[in-house]
Amino acid sequence: MDLIRHLRFFVAVADKGHFGRAAADLEMTQPPLSQGLRRLEEYIGTPLVHRTQQGAVLTSAGAQLLPHARSLIDDSDRFLTEAVRVAGARAVVRWGACVALPDRLLTACVAALCAETDAAVTTESGTTVDLIDAVRSGKCDFAVVELPTLVDGVEAGPVTKIPRWVVVPKDHRSAHIERPRFPMLSDLAFAAPPRAGNPGAFDAVRDLLRERGLEVDTTSAPDDRAVLAAVAAGTHFGMSTTRPGSAPGVAWLHLAPAATALQVRLVWRTGADIDRYVAALDRVVFRERVR
């Protein structure tokens, strides 16, 4: 039997206290209403109303069960409303971008994804470690992550190198000579994202600095904004994908551009049907590559 429909009969009779008025409220005739209520009573094994010449009076069981009947009907209505909303909701493309990805590239990626689909595009910014976990778990469909890093459990695209500059305070001695060298930065601390966010990338940069004759203390700076702020304060140097000249108080050095470039790649869930999105992001990132 259609339990919710028959519960509506019961609630209508209880509210109106009369079969005729309840039938009119439900826009039906009285006989099928009365028959339906009897069928409900037989189904649950107890009378719900006393039928009198004056109308209908709830039995003790009816009075006790009426609140539960209302609750079930309300839940049914909410379920149907939500089902309609879900059925009509836009699909969602969920992607992630590592914090090292420059703003200009992040917004270009979003624009490229929006051009590929009518779905809503949501972006998660985070560390490479967190983004790969998000892709593995299905929280993100795909992500642009920084290398080097482990990509176990996900599919991975080709590596692209994006220009990244060494940034120093504008008044630092290295900013005013034609051929600066890494050892000239020894009086500055190094502002860099925390190692936990991507141990491989962190260690690779520290190894590069040591190879170039520079041992430094490192200060945690979670993203490009924090790096540039520390540099502008006059006490740190760092590496940034922000283009030269766009931050007062900062100077950009052309030091070992191939070695300092930001290496990124796209990762996605195994079996995910995202070829067109991967192609769209590859086109955007490829335009920024180190030439």
Side-chain angles (χ1 to χ4, degrees):
M1 70 179 297
D2 185 343
L3 179 61
I4 298 298
R5 179 170 179 265
H6 287 76
L7 288 175
R8 292 187 191 277
F9 294 170
F10 168 46
V11 170
V13 170
D15 288 345
K16 299 300 182 181
H18 191 277
F19 281 88
R21 290 192 291 272
D25 194 56
L26 294 172
E27 298 182 344
M28 62 189 298
T29 59
Q30 181 174 334
L33 171 63
S34 181
Q35 293 167 11
L37 184 52
R38 284 194 185 280
R39 195 172 296 118
L40 176 62
E41 291 172 325
E42 292 169 1
Y43 182 75
I44 65 176
T46 187
L48 297 172
V49 299
H50 292 301
R51 292 154 175 83
T52 70
Q53 291 183 347
Q54 289 74 33
V57 179
L58 291 178
T59 64
S60 175
Q64 293 179 59
L65 292 174
L66 180 61
H68 299 290
R70 293 189 194 279
S71 179
L72 284 170
I73 292 170
D74 289 343
D75 285 344
S76 173
D77 290 341
R78 282 192 290 269
F79 172 82
L80 292 174
T81 299
E82 182 65 9
V84 169
R85 185 195 68 78
V86 170
R90 296 172 66 189
V92 177
V93 173
R94 301 162 299 179
W95 82 291
C98 61
V99 293
L101 201 69
D103 291 347
R104 66 181 184 279
L105 196 48
L106 182 145
T107 54
C109 286
V110 172
L113 292 174
C114 290
E116 288 293 326
T117 181
D118 292 330
V121 176
T122 65
T123 304
E124 178 168 340
S125 180
T127 68
T128 287
V129 169
D130 288 343
L131 289 177
I132 291 178
D133 284 344
V135 171
R136 286 197 193 104
S137 68
K139 184 179 178 182
C140 281
D141 299 311
F142 48 89
V144 177
V145 300
E146 181 183 5
L147 298 179
T149 190
L150 294 175
V151 291
D152 295 344
V154 297
E155 299 291 326
V159 177
T160 298
K161 290 186 175 182
I162 296 172
R164 184 165 56 176
W165 293 267
V166 175
V167 286
V168 298
K170 68 172 183 178
D171 294 329
H172 191 263
R173 55 179 178 160
S174 62
H176 303 288
I177 65 172
E178 184 176 350
R179 294 184 178 180
R181 296 289 183 266
F182 279 98
M184 296 184 67
L185 311 181
S186 60
D187 59 330
L188 300 172
F190 180 48
R195 185 176 186 275
N198 187 358
F202 182 94
D203 292 345
V205 170
R206 289 299 300 265
D207 289 344
L208 168 65
L209 296 177
R210 291 191 185 101
E211 290 171 2
R212 302 300 171 114
L214 184 59
E215 285 282 353
V216 291
D217 294 327
T218 302
T219 300
S220 178
D223 52 30
D224 244 24
R225 176 178 292 182
V227 169
L228 292 174
V231 171
T235 54
H236 292 73
F237 77 96
M239 294 184 185
S240 173
T241 55
T242 299
R243 286 175 173 167
S246 55
V250 176
W252 281 256
L253 305 184
H254 201 62
L255 284 174
T260 58
L262 174 67
Q263 298 183 69
V264 299
R265 76 189 321 171
L266 194 64
V267 298
W268 61 91
R269 287 184 292 115
T270 302
D273 183 18
I274 58 170
D275 288 350
R276 58 177 174 158
Y277 303 132
V278 170
L281 292 194
D282 277 345
R283 287 193 296 270
V284 171
V285 175
F286 186 76
R287 286 198 297 266
E288 286 275 336
R289 75 192 188 284
V290 173
R291 293 172 173 81

